[in-house]
Amino acid sequence: MKNQSNIVEALTDFIKTQHILSGEVTGIGAVDEATLQFFVPSAKKYVDKTFQEQMEVSNISGNVAVIDGESTLHLHITLGREDYTALAGHLLEARIHGAGEFIFYPLNTRVVKTKDHKTGINLYDFEK
Ligand code: FE
């Protein structure tokens, strides 16, 4: 693994080396930086925002699918701040500071997603 403290990079490395083509992932831990994304349907694109502070990862949940021939993660995260409020969103990247505990539930199949140009979102494609 290149940088084991970057969650998305490390988990992507894991699904590729383990040849996981579909499944579910869940995780908890702590981070000191996270970049979340919010999808704006009218613009068909994500807006990024980076938070630099110590935060509890109260939950990461996501799935694995094949997009353009590559095993790809889709992750969402909920982060707890020092004042006990929460941030949440689509996860672009986060840096572990403390612990990161993840469990994969691989499925014995291959799930494909294709970019839907009408919405701008990668959607399940059960015909592939
Ligand atoms: Fe998402």
Side-chain angles (χ1 to χ4, degrees):
M1 289 186 192
K2 291 171 209 152
N3 186 341
Q4 298 196 3
S5 64
N6 286 338
I7 290 175
V8 179
E9 194 179 336
L11 294 181
T12 299
D13 196 46
F14 182 80
I15 60 169
K16 292 197 177 194
T17 56
Q18 297 298 312
H19 307 290
I20 296 171
L21 300 178
S22 66
E24 186 183 3
V25 58
T26 176
I28 56 173
V31 298
D32 64 358
E33 182 177 302
T35 301
L36 307 187
Q37 296 186 307
F38 185 85
F39 187 75
V40 181
S42 59
K44 296 184 188 177
K45 65 176 190 183
Y46 287 92
V47 175
D48 299 5
K49 186 158 179 153
T50 299
F51 299 88
Q52 288 174 312
E53 60 194 73
Q54 186 65 23
M55 295 172 280
E56 295 285 340
V57 178
S58 69
N59 186 53
I60 282 182
S61 58
N63 56 58
V64 184
V66 175
I67 301 175
D68 292 332
E70 297 256 329
S71 266
T72 309
L73 281 161
H74 181 192
L75 300 172
H76 285 198
I77 191 167
T78 309
L79 295 162
R81 303 177 109 166
E82 195 176 359
D83 67 359
Y84 300 101
T85 61
L87 290 167
H90 180 101
L91 177 62
L92 182 63
E93 189 54 279
R95 185 173 63 211
I96 294 171
H97 190 239
E101 302 168 350
F102 303 94
I103 298 177
F104 264 94
Y105 300 92
L107 289 170
N108 199 13
T109 184
R110 175 175 170 270
V111 172
V112 175
K113 283 183 190 171
T114 306
K115 179 113 172 177
D116 177 58
H117 292 286
K118 210 160 93 182
T119 59
I121 301 172
N122 295 315
L123 298 178
Y124 285 125
D125 186 345
F126 297 111
E127 290 171 6
K128 290 206 173 171

